[in-house]
Amino acid sequence: MTPAEPHVNDRPLPAGEDRPLPHTPSAASPLAAAPSGSLKGRMRAPGDKSISHRSLIVGLLALGETRIEGLLEGEDVLRTADACRALGASVIREGEGCWRVRGAGIGGLVEPSAILDFGNAGTGARLMMGVAGSHPITATFDGDASLRKRPMRRILDPLVRMGTAVVGEAEGGRVPLTLRGPRETVPIVYETPAASAQIKSAVLLAGLNSPGRTTVVEREATRDHTERMLRLFGAQVTVEPEGEAGRRIAIQGQPTLCGTEVVVPSDPSSAAFPLVAALVVPGSEIVLEGVMMNPLRTGLIATLLEMGAEIERLSERDEGGETVADLRVRASLLRGVDVPAHRAPSMIDEYPILAVAAAFAEGPTRMRGLHELRVKESDRLAAVAAGLAAAGVPNAIEGDDLAVEGLGGKVPGGATVATHLDHRVAMAFLVMGLAASEGMRIDDGAMIATSFPCFVPLMRELGAGIRDA
Ligand code: S3P
């Protein structure tokens, strides 16, 4: 095994400190991945980002104390912790991944005295717009260059129907923007215009501070972490099937949420990177510990199994109300597949790394219905297509689909990929470099710290040749 060396992304928080890191890395941090010998060993990917954000946010809205174990201490989540403080919660880090939140309670938020800066984090910003926008306070939201490009109209539209005033916004409904919440939030029935857990969650969280029943209808089921978290804290949430694949979710407003214990399971969207690395680097065998297996998050595993991946689910158990499993992954000969559009919500963050798996597979892969990828931390569809092309992998964007011509294990590589402030593009192409003939480089790995702060050292412990470039 390659010993871990100090590295820009190897920055665990010292115990007792809750914001010791500069949030937005100021300098670019180019990284290189070289063709590596077999990956071996065990790894636990960090806490789930979606659940981490929600545990802090619902802790803010609860009365009493919430204790969180396994919180992802990535920069995105630290921004949400800051915003919770600015809105009136006490948020204290007690040790690695262990945090304590004393909430302000629904209706009890205070007006923030400064701009809420969410950095790179779309989830934190959008969910918090639902929270702050349903309280009679004025709050301004901002973020980095990536967040400033992302559409917020999808959140503002339902909030305006609930009574929120958009006092100011950057062109096209983007941050920086300022919301002023109404004296009394109006409960609504809202059909989401896109399969988006962030839209659903913003509306449900706003509905918490309204006097009636707020309903969200989604045509395709998306990750249900908000619904689960609200129930855990004592809210009444009903979920009914809607049409073929959708759901109708209703929440009774103005409940008393009670602080509780939250255990955050390991993030399947982060585990995806070592998982695909082990599949494509010949001779590899690794175990990924305690990966969350929520069925609304396992689309990548379903797809990789169809491609012929050797992935075993071991020791399935319950952790914090979610099923988790250890995943044993062995290097596998993959074959190209057709990935249906209806699977997108269950693997929406996994397409960059699936595209890398597809590049190493035998034959073509078509990933359908990827329009939402255009509004992620970058235009991921364009960024992934450009990265594949630079690495010598034939591919095409056809409408909302990405078609990749698999090269059967013989990916040339040897290119530098532009990551556009996108952590998942960065990690995906580093994984590619571990098995590509000429390795790969990325222009900037600093954003990896938003979701997977110890990615580089943990990968190196498995034997991955990743270093500063
Ligand atoms: C998330 C939902 C997804 C996902 C994001 C996290 C969440 O976004 O891409 O990384 O925690 O709700 P959309 O809901 O916009 O698809």
Side-chain angles (χ1 to χ4, degrees):
M1 278 194 210
T2 317
E5 283 174 12
H7 187 276
V8 66
N9 286 313
D10 181 10
R11 299 184 300 181
L13 299 178
E17 291 187 43
D18 45 19
R19 310 192 45 210
L21 304 177
H23 276 318
T24 301
S26 45
S29 167
L31 294 172
S36 300
S38 54
L39 305 181
K40 302 275 179 194
R42 301 177 74 88
M43 179 202 283
R44 187 178 169 96
D48 186 71
K49 185 153 74 71
S50 295
I51 297 181
S52 294
H53 281 299
R54 286 159 173 83
S55 65
L56 292 167
I57 291 171
V58 182
L60 160 72
L61 292 171
L63 292 177
E65 192 165 283
T66 292
R67 285 181 174 273
I68 308 167
E69 231 182 82
L71 188 87
L72 166 64
E73 294 177 334
E75 292 180 6
D76 278 11
V77 176
L78 298 181
R79 296 287 182 147
T80 292
D82 284 348
C84 288
R85 289 190 189 98
L87 291 164
S90 142
V91 183
I92 293 169
R93 180 177 193 265
E94 298 196 311
E96 201 185 323
C98 295
W99 290 63
R100 186 156 45 86
V101 181
R102 186 160 280 281
I106 295 169
L109 302 193
V110 301
E111 186 158 288
S113 57
I115 291 171
L116 304 174
D117 183 349
F118 284 91
N120 196 248
T123 307
R126 289 182 171 137
L127 270 54
M128 216 50 126
M129 285 178 195
V131 170
S134 57
H135 282 71
I137 56 175
T138 299
T140 299
F141 294 76
D142 202 357
D144 69 6
S146 153
L147 195 63
R148 283 181 171 206
K149 287 189 196 144
R150 299 183 68 183
M152 296 299 164
R153 196 49 80 213
R154 51 177 57 197
I155 305 297
L156 304 183
D157 285 346
L159 287 183
V160 166
R161 283 185 49 195
M162 298 176 91
T164 310
V166 182
V167 179
E169 65 190 279
E171 208 188 323
R174 306 193 196 273
V175 296
L177 63 79
T178 300
L179 302 182
R180 169 92 205 152
R183 212 181 298 280
E184 190 166 84
T185 300
V186 181
I188 58 169
V189 177
Y190 191 70
E191 183 171 329
T192 55
S196 163
Q198 294 181 354
I199 303 176
K200 166 176 69 178
S201 301
V203 175
L204 291 175
L205 290 167
L208 283 176
N209 196 30
S210 86
R213 199 174 163 78
T214 295
T215 303
V216 177
V217 179
E218 49 181 12
R219 293 273 150 231
E220 290 171 283
T222 62
R223 65 188 69 193
D224 58 358
H225 306 306
T226 300
E227 296 91 306
R228 287 168 180 255
M229 187 71 68
L230 288 173
R231 278 202 186 121
L232 180 69
F233 280 73
Q236 271 184 37
V237 184
T238 59
V239 181
E240 290 164 12
E242 174 78 20
E244 265 179 33
R247 290 184 173 180
R248 169 176 286 262
I249 304 126
I251 181 148
Q252 192 57 45
Q254 295 176 339
T256 301
L257 300 180
C258 297
T260 187
E261 313 265 318
V262 180
V263 178
V264 184
S266 169
D267 194 331
S269 299
S270 295
F273 298 100
L275 192 159
V276 170
L279 290 174
V280 301
V281 175
S284 299
E285 177 172 339
I286 65 166
V287 174
L288 294 161
E289 294 174 349
V291 182
M292 180 170 58
M293 289 288 122
N294 180 315
L296 294 166
R297 299 286 299 280
T298 48
L300 176 72
I301 293 179
T303 304
L304 290 171
L305 289 171
E306 286 174 10
M307 294 174 82
E310 264 195 76
I311 305 171
E312 274 178 87
R313 284 164 73 143
L314 308 172
S315 313
E316 286 198 27
R317 57 201 183 268
D318 180 276
E319 228 178 63
E322 293 281 2
T323 301
V324 303
D326 298 337
L327 300 181
R328 176 178 292 142
V329 187
R330 293 194 180 89
S332 308
L333 293 175
L334 302 174
R335 49 183 181 273
V337 287
D338 196 301
V339 189
H342 68 75
R343 200 175 284 165
S346 67
M347 55 179 299
I348 193 66
D349 291 334
E350 277 64 87
Y351 286 101
I353 192 62
L354 177 63
V356 169
F360 286 95
E362 197 75 62
T365 289
R366 178 172 283 268
M367 301 164 224
R368 296 181 187 270
L370 304 190
H371 46 92
E372 275 294 299
L373 289 200
R374 294 196 182 277
V375 292
K376 294 298 177 190
E377 284 82 333
S378 66
D379 176 346
R380 264 187 197 157
L381 196 46
V384 168
L388 291 172
V393 181
N395 75 91
I397 297 173
E398 290 163 3
D400 286 339
D401 298 353
L402 178 62
V404 178
E405 193 54 49
L407 298 176
K410 295 188 179 55
V411 172
T416 300
V417 171
T419 53
H420 304 284
L421 296 178
D422 190 324
H423 53 133
R424 300 201 200 277
V425 172
M427 288 185 275
F429 283 99
L430 287 174
V431 167
M432 174 182 266
L434 303 177
S437 315
E438 305 283 326
M440 286 295 282
R441 287 177 303 280
I442 57 169
D443 63 348
D444 185 12
M447 283 302 148
I448 293 172
T450 61
S451 67
F452 198 159
C454 288
F455 173 76
V456 172
L458 289 178
M459 290 299 293
R460 288 173 62 96
E461 276 176 33
L462 296 177
I466 301 178
R467 56 175 175 76
D468 293 324

